[in-house]
Amino acid sequence: MCAFVASGRGLTPCIEFCMGQTRHSSSLRTVEALVAGIRQGDRASLARGITLVESTRSDHQQEARKLVSECIKIPRPRSLRIGLTGTPGVGKSTFIESLGMRLLQKGHRVSVLAVDPSSTRSGGSILGDKTRMQELSAASNAYVRPSPNRGSLGGVARNTLDSIILTEACGFDVCLVETVGVGQSETMVSDMVDMFVLLMQPGSGDELQGVKRGIMELADLVVVNKADGAMELAAKLTRSEIVNALHLMIPRRESWSPKVVRASAATGYNLDRVWSTVLHYFDKLEKSGEWDALRADQRRKWMWREVSHLLLARLDRNPASHKIAQLLEADVLNGSIPAGVAAEQIVSKFLSNP
């Protein structure tokens, strides 16, 4: 008999205790089942695992941490993490599907994490990448997962790195991360992938002006897409312009200078050359020893980003901080105090009453 009942303290504590134990056991069984399924390469288990990782519920977040902690221990060959970005209309989804299907033919297992922008008003997201990658989505050795960025800077969902770890544990050896598009904060993608690919389109002299210099500096490979038919000559001119622009920038890898390749996702033109350039890049990275240092740097940066997120979440849930924030916000709105001073007072209040 439960100690609470035997001591005459009533049934409620006993029930709450037993329910707590049941929830804990159920949570462990859920995580264990997901780990087992992911280890076996089950895409349904992977999908449930990523859903758990993306959940904002506190109990789900605890389970997600356990899941990722177990999955990161599963021995797998090192996968290729490749980020792809480009201005809207450049054909990112079409390019990914065409390249992905070729990789499947070469015996690879390909995962695509396509991050869609969320509405700042409703929080909703269209998540239309599966409809744009129908053939790849249906392939047995591919996994396409559209995820809302929920306002994350850089168009990268906050838990995308955890999702990458789960796909790798599931046996996918190529992970493609498609981001929202080129923007001032898009550089965040480079902190979670090994290679950064920038897609551009022919006749992009004006587009070059629209692409931030910082994005160009992060590119390990620039692909001029749609380089076929009537756009072939324009693609050659665009490639020359990009090559000249890259000459003025300092390469971010000691062992690699950024390359520019013309290709067409629609016809398949030069996609094999694109992939051979990718493999050449990773060969250089491995031989120079930069790959190990790069992965370590990824983990360090995302640890501190998670620290920032957790601190902000706790600050948001702190009653004392909320109270003073409402008062100070009114002062900031009417201009009586600077925003920086108000922020410092809110943080100080939080630190004194965590």
Side-chain angles (χ1 to χ4, degrees), residues 224 234-244 260-262:
V224 182
K236 291 180 179 178
L237 294 174
T238 299
R239 181 186 180 278
S240 298
E241 292 176 357
I242 297 171
V243 168
N244 291 334
V260 185
V261 178
R262 292 180 296 115

Side-chain angles (χ1 to χ4, degrees), residues 41-257:
D42 179 47
R43 292 190 301 172
S45 296
L46 174 61
R48 288 194 293 271
I50 294 179
T51 298
L52 191 65
V53 162
E54 291 177 348
S55 175
T56 56
R57 279 177 44 175
S58 58
D59 56 330
H60 286 175
Q61 289 177 358
Q62 291 176 3
E63 292 179 2
R65 292 189 189 100
K66 294 175 187 174
L67 175 64
V68 176
S69 297
E70 291 300 318
C71 284
I72 205 171
K73 300 173 186 175
I74 297 176
R76 299 287 189 195
R78 180 151 44 183
S79 71
L80 309 183
R81 300 175 180 176
I82 304 169
L84 296 103
T85 192
T87 53
V90 76
K92 292 190 293 293
S93 297
T94 305
F95 178 85
I96 289 173
E97 179 166 56
S98 297
L99 180 63
M101 293 305 297
R102 284 180 177 253
L103 295 182
L104 295 182
Q105 294 171 5
K106 295 176 184 291
H108 293 283
R109 296 192 74 206
V110 180
S111 66
V112 180
L113 301 176
V115 186
D116 276 0
S118 299
S119 167
T120 55
R121 296 180 64 185
S122 66
S125 183
I126 296 174
L127 303 178
D129 286 277
K130 276 202 170 184
T131 63
R132 295 194 294 269
M133 302 183 200
Q134 292 182 2
E135 191 177 1
L136 189 61
S137 298
S140 59
N141 283 326
Y143 177 75
V144 179
R145 174 75 179 210
S147 300
N149 73 335
R150 295 191 178 94
S152 297
L153 288 176
V156 180
R158 185 177 66 85
N159 297 305
T160 300
L161 188 58
D162 288 341
S163 298
I164 291 175
I165 292 170
L166 296 189
T167 62
E168 291 173 342
C170 199
F172 292 93
D173 60 328
V174 177
C175 182
L176 306 176
V177 182
E178 179 194 358
T179 63
V180 172
V182 173
Q184 191 170 7
S185 304
E186 196 66 12
T187 54
M188 188 181 290
V189 69
S190 67
D191 291 338
M192 69 165 65
V193 297
D194 306 318
M195 184 179 196
F196 187 83
V197 179
L198 174 63
L199 296 182
M200 299 187 72
Q201 51 191 338
S204 35
D206 292 336
E207 187 177 345
L208 270 174
Q209 302 298 320
V211 175
K212 304 293 184 182
R213 178 184 173 92
I215 301 294
M216 289 288 291
E217 289 176 337
L218 289 174
D220 299 303
L221 171 63
V222 180
V223 177
V224 182
N225 194 26
K226 305 180 181 180
D228 58 328
M231 300 302 293
E232 185 176 357
L233 179 59
K236 291 180 179 178
L237 294 174
T238 299
R239 181 186 180 278
S240 298
E241 292 176 357
I242 297 171
V243 168
N244 291 334
L246 289 173
H247 280 320
L248 302 176
M249 301 178 188
I250 301 173
R252 63 176 186 150
R253 309 280 183 229
E254 293 181 6
S255 60
W256 180 261
S257 296

Side-chain angles (χ1 to χ4, degrees), residues 232-352:
E232 185 176 357
L233 179 59
K236 291 180 179 178
L237 294 174
T238 299
R239 181 186 180 278
S240 298
E241 292 176 357
I242 297 171
V243 168
N244 291 334
L246 289 173
H247 280 320
L248 302 176
M249 301 178 188
I250 301 173
R252 63 176 186 150
R253 309 280 183 229
E254 293 181 6
S255 60
W256 180 261
S257 296
K259 304 294 188 288
V260 185
V261 178
R262 292 180 296 115
S264 171
T267 65
Y269 167 69
N270 251 1
L271 288 184
D272 286 333
R273 185 177 177 184
V274 169
W275 185 244
S276 65
T277 305
V278 169
L279 294 180
H280 185 48
Y281 167 83
F282 280 104
D283 182 60
K284 290 277 189 180
L285 211 62
E286 186 169 27
K287 288 179 178 177
S288 67
E290 288 184 272
W291 205 350
D292 291 330
L294 179 59
R295 285 289 175 96
D297 195 46
Q298 289 172 9
R299 292 189 290 268
R300 179 183 62 82
K301 287 180 177 178
W302 280 89
M303 179 191 74
W304 285 111
R305 283 207 171 93
E306 187 64 12
V307 168
S308 299
H309 171 80
L310 292 174
L311 285 174
L312 284 173
R314 288 197 179 187
L315 176 63
D316 190 53
R317 294 194 301 265
N318 185 276
S321 301
H322 254 303
K323 188 174 180 179
I324 191 174
Q326 290 176 342
L327 296 173
L328 291 170
E329 191 176 69
D331 293 335
V332 170
L333 289 175
N334 62 34
S336 59
I337 63 171
V341 173
E344 186 176 1
Q345 291 183 33
I346 293 170
V347 172
S348 297
K349 185 68 175 179
F350 170 69
L351 293 176
S352 62

